[in-house]
Amino acid sequence: MKIKDVKVIVCSPGRNFVTVKIVTDEGLYGIGDGTVNGRELSVVSYLQDHVAPLLIGRDPAQIEDIWQYLYRGAYWRRGPITMAAISAVDMALWDIKAKAANMPLYQLLGGASRQKVMIYSHAQGMSIEEAVDAVGKKRDEGHVAIRCQVGIPGLPAVYGTGKGAKQDRGGMVEALPHEEVWSTSRYMLHIPKLFARLRDVYGDDLHLLHDTHHRLTPIEAARLGKDLEPFRLFWLEDPVPAELQEGYRLIRQHTTTPIALGEVFNTIWDARLLMEEQLIDYIRATSVHAGGVTGLRRIFDFASVYHIRTACHGPMDVSPVAMGTNAHIDLWVPNFGIQEFSGYTPLMHEVFPHSWVQEGGYIHPGEAPGHGVDIDEALASKHPYQRAYLPVNRLEDGTLWHW
Ligand code: CS2
Ligand code: MG
């Protein structure tokens, strides 16, 4: 079998997605996700201008060699754009291999280690009461794990709090980035009140999660983790940017609140020290940004040595293709923790028909050969790319801050 064609499809059924379709001379094809939110066309160019010509005529079964060729062979390694392009190709090649074997991908990986994959959903509100109600609605839908974000008194809507959280609508509301305002001190005072109330109302059964979106310093994160200990969070996510991996030592020395990290990681090197020193509990790398099945499997195996569990990133900008791929990995991976799942619009489900099924708090990849996700190209073409940005963030005095 030989690779005959590599198509890069950009569509925007409510938000932008970059999808690769690798077609073989035997008619089999595979699909991969290469979406990088707010920088989609850079991946398109990388794929079309640099990667596609290298693939034509190759044997699609040689997934590892192709991965190494695109990673090591590029000299300019790593980075979100390069790795999203490699991820898309890798996902499509695993799709082809599993289809050729007439097996769902999880069978090729080693088979199912569980019957279903626990997911966590998102709930948010501008006030604590609104957030508490939103958690209740998710619980009523059958969710067993819920991430909760709340507006901060004195600030306009901040990350993940619904109104004004432009990233949840794909940043498509404005042609230039929306700017949010941030105050760490106001935030740190308010968040423990949210989780105290959630435990009061819902008791100890629910898994509760919270995302700090890289906004604190290590000592601030240590304090927040301590303040949240009585409420027994499933995790505190991304407390501090992980460019300085050693910084997480400080957090670890001070709190037993579990730490999740890594949605922006691209390779095993981004997490090496964090894992070797057991500074995190959950690794959030995901198939579309960490090198596809090949890259992610390597990271997850390494994590298992250090008692770290998996938690693939899975908001809406991780397309239904990557979600399907993640679901196969999740069903197999021995050190599975949880899968993020924020859901898709009906149109997105139509553009990307899939075998994976979500029911309440769980997902299953389905039994279709391959990863089980396709793209309806005709429908996709009716929803062309629209320039969109993620928001940026400033402190109250105007200083640019991490978003
Ligand atoms: C996030 C994302 O899902 C998460 O935990 O932090 O919503 C993130 O902001 C987006 O994926 C950015 O594209
Ligand atoms: Mg996050």
Side-chain angles (χ1 to χ4, degrees):
M1 205 187 298
K2 297 246 180 298
I3 295 174
K4 200 176 80 180
D5 192 15
V6 180
K7 281 190 185 175
V8 185
I9 304 157
V10 192
C11 64
S12 193
R15 65 166 316 113
N16 293 317
F17 293 114
V18 177
T19 309
V20 162
K21 181 170 183 173
I22 298 184
V23 186
T24 69
D25 57 355
E26 294 183 16
L28 266 186
Y29 65 87
I31 303 289
D33 179 20
T35 308
V36 174
N37 198 2
R39 293 293 185 270
E40 296 85 0
L41 298 187
S42 309
V43 187
V44 173
S45 159
Y46 195 90
L47 280 164
Q48 269 170 349
D49 300 335
H50 307 292
V51 173
L54 303 172
L55 298 178
I56 307 299
R58 281 180 193 271
D59 176 358
Q62 289 188 311
I63 299 176
E64 188 65 51
D65 185 64
I66 292 175
W67 197 98
Q68 297 295 340
Y69 189 88
L70 296 178
Y71 181 84
R72 291 173 199 261
Y75 189 63
W76 308 107
R77 298 179 187 182
R78 305 169 62 186
I81 306 302
T82 307
M83 294 309 293
I86 294 179
S87 302
V89 169
D90 186 82
M91 239 180 265
L93 295 179
W94 277 99
D95 193 23
I96 292 172
K97 193 185 268 296
K99 281 175 177 168
N102 198 27
M103 281 180 190
L105 174 59
Y106 76 83
Q107 292 290 9
L108 273 192
L109 293 173
S113 302
R114 54 197 56 79
Q115 286 109 41
K116 53 188 181 174
V117 167
M118 179 167 69
I119 55 175
Y120 73 90
S121 181
H122 296 180
Q124 61 271 328
M126 278 305 286
S127 66
I128 289 185
E129 284 323 302
E130 239 179 75
V132 169
D133 288 351
V135 167
K137 286 195 186 106
K138 291 288 175 181
R139 193 184 66 152
D140 295 345
E141 289 168 19
H143 287 281
V144 293
I146 301 168
R147 183 192 91 168
C148 192
Q149 307 292 124
V150 72
I152 307 303
L155 297 182
V158 293
Y159 167 78
T161 53
K163 292 175 212 118
K166 301 286 194 300
Q167 80 282 1
D168 287 344
R169 288 179 266 162
M172 309 221 2
V173 179
E174 296 163 342
L176 292 174
H178 167 71
E179 292 199 1
E180 293 180 1
V181 183
W182 179 250
S183 157
T184 299
S185 52
R186 292 178 200 262
Y187 166 81
M188 298 233 327
L189 280 171
H190 198 56
I191 292 303
K193 295 180 191 158
L194 167 69
F195 285 94
R197 183 89 186 105
L198 285 169
R199 282 292 177 223
D200 264 2
V201 176
Y202 299 114
D204 289 333
D205 278 1
L206 277 179
H207 294 311
L208 294 174
L209 299 78
H210 182 68
D211 190 351
T212 304
H213 226 244
H214 300 120
R215 288 167 184 212
L216 305 182
T217 63
I219 197 68
E220 290 164 349
R223 160 62 67 88
L224 183 62
K226 256 182 157 165
D227 289 350
L228 289 171
E229 276 171 24
F231 315 117
R232 299 178 36 254
L233 262 59
F234 189 90
W235 77 38
L236 181 64
E237 175 183 340
D238 289 348
V240 177
E243 287 145 337
L244 181 70
Q245 295 189 25
E246 295 88 329
Y248 273 75
R249 289 177 186 148
L250 192 66
I251 308 174
R252 210 51 164 173
Q253 282 156 10
H254 289 94
T255 181
T256 56
T257 294
I259 303 293
L261 195 68
E263 65 182 40
V264 300
F265 291 174
N266 308 124
T267 72
I268 201 163
W269 304 103
D270 296 328
R272 185 183 64 81
L273 184 122
L274 292 163
M275 298 207 276
E276 282 178 352
E277 294 193 14
Q278 300 178 54
L279 301 178
I280 58 174
D281 301 280
Y282 294 90
I283 177 78
R284 307 257 302 119
T286 198
S287 56
V288 51
H289 299 133
V293 176
T294 303
L296 203 54
R297 192 173 58 166
R298 205 160 278 142
I299 296 172
F300 286 177
D301 274 342
F302 188 61
S304 75
V305 175
Y306 300 102
H307 306 281
I308 294 164
R309 287 189 283 169
T310 72
C312 291
H313 189 216
M316 200 186 260
D317 50 292
V318 167
S319 94
V321 180
M323 182 57 69
T325 307
N326 288 345
H328 284 274
I329 295 172
D330 295 333
L331 196 71
W332 152 73
V333 71
N335 49 323
F336 173 71
I338 198 165
Q339 167 67 54
E340 182 180 17
F341 185 90
S342 73
Y344 301 98
T345 65
L347 180 61
M348 292 173 190
H349 287 288
E350 259 188 86
V351 170
F352 296 100
H354 52 79
S355 63
W356 57 257
V357 180
Q358 178 243 333
E359 249 183 65
Y362 297 88
I363 189 173
H364 190 284
E367 301 296 337
H371 57 46
V373 192
D374 209 335
I375 182 166
D376 179 336
E377 290 181 69
L379 185 57
S381 72
K382 292 192 186 135
H383 302 278
Y385 169 79
Q386 296 185 30
R387 183 161 58 93
Y389 293 93
L390 284 164
V392 296
N393 201 18
R394 290 186 189 274
L395 302 183
E396 288 167 291
D397 69 358
T399 307
L400 198 86
W401 199 243
H402 316 288
W403 182 76

